[in-house]
Amino acid sequence: MSTLIQTLKNNHSQMYNRATTNVELRNIEHVGYDFHRLQKDTWAVIDTENNCAIHLHGSNYQLVTYTKILNGLSDALLKYGIGLVNTTIQFNVHPDLNYLRLRILFNDGSKFSPHAMTTNPDDKLKFGIEVVSSYDASIVYQIRTMFLRLICQNGMKTFDSLGETVKKHTTHFDVDDSFLKLEHLGLTFEKMQDKFEVYNSLSLSSGEVDSIFKKFSNGSDNKYNLLKNVLETDIHKSTLYDVYNALTNYSSHNKRAIRIGKKGYRPIYRIDNSTMDAVKSNEARDSEIERYVSSDHFIFFYHKALSNLGRNVS
């Protein structure tokens, strides 16, 4: 079985070399040419190969190198028999080493084949593992399971305790513990696909779809109109799954809706690329979705879907 590290070296050498750049944490006591002493304990993540500071942190910060994360993940995959045959790897490290994102997607013929939705066998969900981290504190360390919806190339992620570990880089964080959940990765994927089948069992009225978009947008007309634009189904014939997919489309694609035209006229919105860094935008918007799907508003619809599915089964 080829290890993750060997695969990254062979097929993603530029990103791997960037990720394994030597970094260290150094205490900073003075700043400026006249050496003003800092009042608080301050530490800098230093890129020692290029002799530059990546970011400053407080005394509770723990440096968890990308090398340690990749080695730990590679060892865990080997330990739990999760092979890389018939997988796709997406690997991105910022040129300034600010952040890292690694995705492993399981294709047909791999250990975890894609799941075909019950109502539409052509609508397949590809399983995946995603790891993100940063040196500049812009992204907290996460290892999570995910789906890629093949019918629209839209990443779909689950945000509950089934498959996600979110940790800040503090002195109490042990990155090796985060890989323990990979032991039961197959069960995690099964629970995730069951949840999406529940979502898909509930048809929503146009008013309910509108209610979800407005609640999620929290008063932002631009966000509300962007969600209506990325909804891929007729608003009168959409399920909770379709609406959830619109939310993940919003997070996975770095787009924004911009109002154009004169005031006093019916507003028109143009969909444009966002100026925010794509990876950081993705993480920030993922957090928005995580908060919303955990809210009473979305849970109400999820429980309604569960009840509806139960009646159909009986």
Side-chain angles (χ1 to χ4, degrees):
M1 182 188 299
S2 177
T3 66
L4 174 64
I5 295 299
Q6 193 59 52
T7 301
L8 295 180
K9 287 181 178 179
N10 292 342
N11 302 329
H12 303 270
S13 58
Q14 181 183 12
M15 292 300 165
Y16 180 77
N17 291 336
R18 189 179 293 174
T20 54
T21 300
N22 290 324
V23 295
E24 63 181 46
L25 198 60
R26 295 180 186 173
N27 185 224
I28 306 297
E29 296 182 348
H30 303 85
V31 294
Y33 292 109
D34 47 359
F35 297 100
H36 289 292
R37 188 173 184 85
L38 295 172
Q39 293 183 342
K40 294 183 178 180
D41 199 15
T42 303
W43 296 79
V45 178
I46 303 295
D47 172 356
T48 59
E49 294 183 15
N50 298 295
N51 195 29
C52 63
I54 300 172
H55 198 74
L56 300 179
H57 299 276
S59 58
N60 290 328
Y61 178 79
Q62 177 191 178
L63 175 61
V64 181
T65 66
Y66 300 153
T67 301
K68 182 176 179 60
I69 292 171
L70 294 176
N71 285 335
L73 177 59
S74 182
D75 291 344
L77 294 175
L78 192 62
K79 177 180 179 180
Y80 300 128
I82 303 172
L84 299 178
V85 176
N86 294 323
T87 61
T88 299
I89 293 179
Q90 300 172 353
F91 192 24
N92 182 22
V93 181
H94 191 276
D96 295 331
L97 308 185
N98 293 336
Y99 58 72
L100 167 149
R101 180 168 70 181
L102 172 69
R103 286 179 177 176
I104 302 173
L105 301 171
F106 296 93
N107 304 319
D108 285 318
S110 65
K111 186 175 179 66
F112 306 105
S113 295
H115 169 69
M117 296 296 290
T118 302
T119 56
N120 181 8
D122 292 330
D123 190 357
K124 294 184 178 181
L125 305 178
K126 184 183 293 188
F127 299 100
I129 304 169
E130 181 178 74
V131 177
V132 293
S133 191
S134 69
Y135 288 147
D136 66 357
S138 61
I139 300 173
V140 296
Y141 170 80
Q142 300 181 62
I143 176 170
R144 58 194 177 192
T145 48
M146 62 170 289
F147 276 123
L148 186 71
R149 192 181 181 200
L150 301 183
I151 201 169
C152 64
Q153 293 298 302
N154 173 28
M156 301 180 63
K157 305 179 185 70
T158 182
F159 297 101
D160 56 29
S161 59
L162 290 176
E164 182 172 24
T165 297
V166 182
K167 295 292 184 181
K168 292 184 178 180
H169 290 207
T170 65
T171 52
H172 303 292
F173 170 49
D174 185 350
V175 68
D176 292 328
D177 289 343
S178 69
F179 301 121
L180 298 177
K181 289 185 178 180
L182 293 178
E183 181 178 4
H184 306 292
L185 187 59
L187 179 61
T188 298
F189 286 146
E190 288 178 14
K191 291 181 177 179
M192 289 171 62
Q193 69 189 36
D194 289 347
K195 175 175 289 189
F196 289 126
E197 291 287 1
V198 172
Y199 288 177
N200 203 34
S201 72
L202 180 65
S203 296
L204 300 173
S205 68
S206 60
E208 288 174 322
V209 174
D210 196 65
S211 170
I212 291 174
F213 286 167
K214 285 183 176 178
K215 188 70 174 181
F216 180 82
S217 300
N218 194 29
S220 170
D221 289 337
N222 289 8
K223 188 180 299 183
Y224 169 71
N225 281 277
L226 177 58
L227 290 173
K228 288 200 302 182
N229 181 271
V230 299
L231 178 67
E232 298 181 353
T233 50
D234 186 331
I235 193 171
H236 301 283
K237 300 177 182 180
S238 295
T239 67
L240 186 60
Y241 171 72
D242 297 321
V243 171
Y244 178 78
N245 188 57
L247 298 182
T248 60
N249 189 306
Y250 157 78
S251 75
S252 301
H253 299 80
N254 195 26
K255 301 289 185 178
R256 59 178 178 170
I258 303 174
R259 181 172 177 168
I260 58 177
K262 297 180 180 180
K263 291 184 178 180
Y265 291 87
R266 184 178 179 180
I268 300 174
Y269 289 84
R270 182 183 76 244
I271 307 303
D272 205 349
N273 292 323
S274 172
T275 57
M276 188 175 181
D277 177 272
V279 173
K280 292 182 179 180
S281 170
N282 187 191
E283 294 307 311
R285 293 182 178 192
D286 280 352
S287 296
E288 284 185 74
I289 299 176
E290 178 182 6
R291 289 192 296 271
Y292 175 66
V293 299
S294 301
S295 71
D296 292 340
H297 192 262
F298 186 84
I299 290 173
F300 165 78
F301 289 103
Y302 177 60
H303 286 167
K304 188 176 180 180
L306 281 173
S307 177
N308 180 70
L309 186 62
R311 287 196 300 269
N312 292 339
V313 171
S314 61

